[in-house]
Structure formats: structure tokens, C-alpha cells
Amino acid sequence: MHKGAVTREAVLKAIAEHNKLGREAFLETYHFGKARSYVLVHEGQEYDSKAIAGVAHKWDQGRALAPGEFSGGRDHAAAWLKRLGFQVKAVQNPDWARDEIILACDLVKTNDWKGLDAQDSRVIELSAMLQLLPIHTDADRNETFRNPNGVARKTFDIATQHPDYHGKPTKGGALDVKVLHEFLARPDEMTEVARLIREGISAGDLQDLAQADDDVDDEFSAPEGRLLLRRHRARERNRGLRKKKIESVLRKGGTLECEACGFDFEEVYGDRGAGYVECHHVVPLHEAGEGNTKLGDLALICANCHRMIHRRAPWPTPGELRADVEARRGARLREASVIGQQRTEAAALSAQEC
């Protein structure tokens, strides 16, 4: 059976069967539970999206999918139904992203680390801004997404985790605590991060990068959040800047070797690798505002070292990564030398005994 290969007509037949049997009997017949993540909205009525998608297979492929054969989330049921033009909406709002918590934490900081009420104009303003952030898709949001009540609750989640708060903390998340402690450890830097996010949203610059580079968001680590990381990656992939950086290095008699490990694509791959190297923006995210990127802000680097730099925060500079690579390389050589010496001595001793 080819999962997800269903037609709109099959989905409508599953909906008709649901309406005929009733929700409880429909779910019981096909052994599905009630939707926990997404619901299908059709003609003003809500349906359990996973159950509808699973039963639709019966009409197109001869049998319904069992609940354990697929998920009801964005990778399976919700995606299939959306692809067919159906409206799918989230049952619950998505967890708060780091970018959102940074903005909320910055607001609590300006309020002397105290939570704010939903009627506070600053909460209402932040609510409106959070709804503009291009992080969560429309399908992942319901009608209460980041409304003033939810934003106010988040400010108390943060405030009651502050070291100076001595009451009972509200039910926040581990990321709330992590971002709070980053603000306490690096207040100026994190305040600047919040400012850059707000300015980027107000100017529309970060919306233009909506959903860009989502393939690396989980792989790359940046305390400043996803949106500034997207902008950082967009700058690194600017073909015009990369070309100018390469031309500048070659004009000065340099080579296109990685500034961290010395790898040269042309030397290894010949003509296939000629002229190829990646660019890394060395200016920290919280300092890289809206100004023009200078060639001196860019470093030529190989793909492996580039990913290693971005993989864990804080990001090392190419020079720092080079020092680490050389130190590890030297340690391995010393270890190999010691092992070689021990083997030589052992062989000599064995020869004497013979």
C-alpha cells in the first residue's frame, strides 16, 4: 500500500461515512483515537484528521490504514489532506520557539523581572509582533495563537523562574529557564538580540526569509534564535559577496584553501573543485545588524569546517577551529610516535630474548 496516495474524492467519502456513523462509532470502527494535533475542517465541521486520512485509503487502495502505520502530524495525515486542498488546523498551539522566548524575556527584563497582565499595552504589542514572526505555519496555529492571555502567562513563566523570586513558580518550560539564564549571564548581548529581531520584523527583513534554511535549523545551533540564523545563512549564500571575496583573495596571491583546516578543493578534486569554497560570516549574530557586509566579515572555509562551526554555540572563529584541529592533529602524531617507539622497543627486546 502506498501511504498518502489518496484522492480528494476518497477523503470526501470518508467524511460522508463519518457523518453517517457518528464520530464515536467511526473512530471505534477503525480503531482510531481522537485527534491530538490536527483536525480537518470541512463545511464548518471539524473531523479527526488522522482517522479521515486513514479511512480514505480504503476507498482508493482497498483497505484503511491502521493507526500504527502513520502519524497524524505534518509528515503524514495533515500533509496529505493539505495537499488535496483541505483546511487543516492545529488542536494546540506550537511550543514557544527560542526567538519568541527571547522577546518575552526582554519584556520581563524591562519590567524589573516581573510578569505582566494581559491588559498591559506592552503585552498586547508583543502579542501582535509574535503573530508576525515567520516561524510557525498557519496550520500550526489555532485561534488563540500568542494572544495577550498566552503572552502574559509566558511572562509569568519567565519571571517566576528568576533567582530572586521566592514564591511557587508557574509551569514553564526548560527553554524558558535557559533563555532567562542567558539574559542574566549576557544581558547586553541578549538585549541586542531582541532588538535585532524586533527591528527585522518591523522592517519586514526577517519575513522575507520565512521558512528559509529550515533544513539546517535543527542541525545548527545559535543562542540568538532561528530568525537571525536564517539571515546569517542568507548572507553567507549571497553569490555576489562570495564571488567578490574569492576574487579579492586570488588578487592578493592567496589560494582558496579552508582557513580552518587548509583543505583545497581544486588540489583534491582537480577541475571539478576549481574555484569552489564556502563563505562563513564571522561577525556574531547579535552584532550583525542591517549594515552592509564587508569582505573582511567573510572567511573562506570548507563545507565540513563550516558545519562544525555552526553545529554548537558559541561558534568558534576559523582561527580558533584551526588551532583546535592542529592541536588534535599534533596529539595524534605524538600518540602515534609513542606507540611506534614502544613497538620498536618491544621488538628489540624480543629479538634479544631469542
Side-chain angles (χ1 to χ4, degrees):
M1 174 175 282
H2 185 51
K3 293 187 290 185
V6 293
T7 61
R8 185 177 179 85
E9 290 71 25
V11 173
L12 293 175
K13 287 180 180 179
I15 290 174
E17 185 177 357
H18 175 285
N19 292 341
K20 180 180 179 180
L21 295 177
R23 183 187 190 191
E24 298 297 333
F26 182 81
L27 295 177
E28 183 178 354
T29 298
Y30 294 100
H31 310 294
F32 282 93
K34 295 180 179 179
R36 292 180 296 177
S37 301
Y38 296 93
V39 292
L40 166 66
V41 182
H42 181 67
E43 295 183 349
Q45 186 173 341
E46 295 183 357
Y47 299 87
D48 303 281
S49 58
K50 183 176 181 180
I52 294 294
V55 175
H57 284 71
K58 179 181 73 171
W59 299 101
D60 275 331
Q61 302 199 47
R63 73 167 178 86
L65 285 177
E69 293 184 87
F70 69 113
S71 76
R74 288 180 293 178
D75 293 335
H76 289 152
W80 302 338
L81 294 170
K82 286 180 63 180
R83 188 168 61 238
L84 294 172
F86 289 99
Q87 179 186 355
V88 178
K89 75 173 186 178
V91 174
Q92 296 181 330
N93 284 313
D95 292 338
W96 283 61
R98 176 182 288 274
D99 309 67
E100 299 172 299
I101 297 175
I102 287 173
L103 295 179
C105 199
D106 187 58
L107 175 56
V108 176
K109 173 177 173 287
T110 62
N111 197 47
D112 296 325
W113 296 110
K114 296 180 176 63
L116 296 89
D117 295 328
Q119 294 76 27
D120 193 298
S121 60
R122 293 168 294 176
V123 168
I124 295 172
E125 180 182 0
L126 178 56
S127 170
M129 175 160 286
L130 292 175
Q131 291 171 20
L132 292 175
L133 295 187
I135 295 177
H136 307 292
T137 65
D138 290 341
D140 290 332
R141 310 179 183 200
N142 64 30
E143 58 276 5
T144 64
F145 178 79
R146 305 301 183 253
N147 65 9
N149 286 332
V151 174
R153 284 196 298 273
K154 180 57 67 174
T155 67
F156 279 95
D157 290 340
I158 294 169
T160 58
Q161 292 290 345
H162 193 279
D164 293 339
Y165 181 81
H166 301 296
K168 182 179 180 180
T170 60
K171 187 179 179 180
L175 191 54
D176 298 340
V177 178
K178 187 172 183 179
V179 173
L180 167 63
H181 284 283
E182 288 172 357
F183 264 88
L184 296 177
R186 300 176 287 125
D188 293 340
E189 180 178 320
M190 295 305 293
T191 297
E192 179 64 10
V193 168
R195 186 189 70 79
L196 288 173
I197 294 174
R198 286 195 303 269
E199 284 191 356
I201 292 299
S202 298
D205 299 314
L206 296 180
Q207 278 97 331
D208 292 341
L209 301 174
Q211 309 307 320
D213 280 342
D214 273 355
D215 59 318
V216 301
D217 282 344
D218 292 335
E219 289 284 338
F220 291 6
S221 173
E224 292 88 346
R226 186 178 304 176
L227 296 178
L228 295 186
L229 175 58
R230 288 177 184 170
R231 186 173 66 187
H232 179 95
R233 293 290 289 158
R235 289 180 174 180
E236 289 183 334
R237 293 180 176 180
N238 183 306
R239 292 185 178 183
L241 279 175
R242 175 178 169 275
K243 181 180 179 181
K244 289 180 180 178
K245 177 66 176 181
I246 289 175
E247 290 174 348
S248 174
V249 170
L250 294 177
R251 192 165 49 245
K252 296 176 182 177
T255 59
L256 303 186
E257 66 176 23
C258 174
E259 295 182 26
C261 72
F263 185 87
D264 187 314
F265 284 91
E266 183 174 11
E267 181 179 313
V268 175
Y269 297 108
D271 291 342
R272 182 180 294 273
Y276 181 80
V277 70
E278 294 189 6
C279 271
H280 169 61
H281 199 291
V282 297
V283 179
L285 297 183
H286 63 275
E287 295 179 11
E290 296 305 321
N292 294 326
T293 300
K294 304 178 182 64
L295 294 183
D297 297 338
L298 300 174
L300 298 183
I301 200 162
C302 74
N304 282 347
C305 288
H306 201 181
R307 184 161 290 272
M308 289 301 101
I309 285 175
H310 282 294
R311 191 164 187 259
R312 185 178 302 123
W315 297 342
T317 65
E320 290 169 341
L321 187 62
R322 175 186 283 274
D324 183 55
V325 169
E326 290 179 347
R328 293 178 60 81
R329 185 179 294 157
R332 287 195 300 270
L333 290 174
R334 288 191 295 274
E335 181 180 355
S337 176
V338 170
I339 292 175
Q341 181 64 29
Q342 290 173 342
R343 288 176 176 173
T344 300
E345 293 174 353
L349 180 60
S350 177
Q352 291 176 1
E353 291 176 348
C354 292

